[in-house]
Amino acid sequence: MAKLKKPASITKDEFKSQKFDELTQGRSFTASDIPTLAMLCHWHQIAQQCIDDMQTQDGIQVAYMNKLDDLKALPQIAVLKQASAEIRALNKQLGINDQAQNQDKKKTKKASLLTLVVKDRAKKSGGA
């Protein structure tokens, strides 16, 4: 597995460079995937910036009062939502599984339990 050459726009930014390393570690990508990986790093940075912007000393800020005393949602919420959607789409395009592994294990356990119940009932009805 050859190491991909980071684009200059990724190398010069510490956050993007670390994200690029994180995304490519243990995965096989080709040189043609580099622009998509760069875009993915960019969206990750946008998402992180939105999260940082909403963080306050007291927790998280999601709304503000405008000059007319109207309560408005922070624009970062919409941007974060878009960034999240872009990240999922780019992950899918690159074949990166962004699903939690525990969910897969739970599905397997449920399937196994269901299989046992079905087999048990089949055994009981066949023996009666």
Side-chain angles (χ1 to χ4, degrees):
M1 189 173 0
K3 188 170 180 159
L4 293 177
K5 182 171 175 23
K6 290 181 195 177
S9 64
I10 298 296
T11 305
K12 69 181 182 181
D13 185 284
E14 185 180 340
F15 180 93
K16 289 180 187 178
S17 182
Q18 287 178 351
K19 186 56 71 173
F20 190 92
D21 292 343
E22 177 188 322
L23 291 166
T24 57
Q25 184 178 8
R27 295 186 173 105
S28 297
F29 294 111
T30 63
S32 63
D33 293 323
I34 291 175
T36 308
L37 285 163
M39 184 74 70
L40 182 57
C41 292
H42 185 73
W43 280 109
H44 272 284
Q45 188 174 38
I46 290 170
Q48 187 59 55
Q49 184 63 53
C50 289
I51 291 167
D52 292 346
D53 288 350
M54 292 186 300
Q55 192 66 44
T56 68
Q57 290 177 329
D58 301 326
I60 189 165
Q61 179 184 358
V62 295
Y64 69 99
M65 288 280 224
N66 66 10
K67 291 179 182 178
L68 302 172
D69 288 334
D70 294 328
L71 190 61
K72 298 285 188 178
L74 285 178
Q76 288 89 336
I77 294 172
V79 175
L80 183 58
K81 184 177 178 181
Q82 180 183 359
S84 179
E86 295 294 338
I87 289 167
R88 280 191 304 276
L90 290 168
N91 278 347
K92 186 174 183 180
Q93 184 178 340
L94 290 165
I96 297 172
N97 181 6
D98 60 354
Q99 297 293 319
Q101 291 181 355
N102 289 343
Q103 290 178 353
D104 292 338
K105 290 178 183 178
K106 286 179 184 177
K107 287 178 185 177
T108 303
K109 286 182 181 179
K110 286 182 182 178
S112 299
L113 180 60
L114 183 60
T115 304
L116 290 172
V117 170
V118 169
K119 286 181 181 178
D120 185 54
R121 288 190 179 168
K123 194 186 298 183
K124 287 178 182 176
S125 66

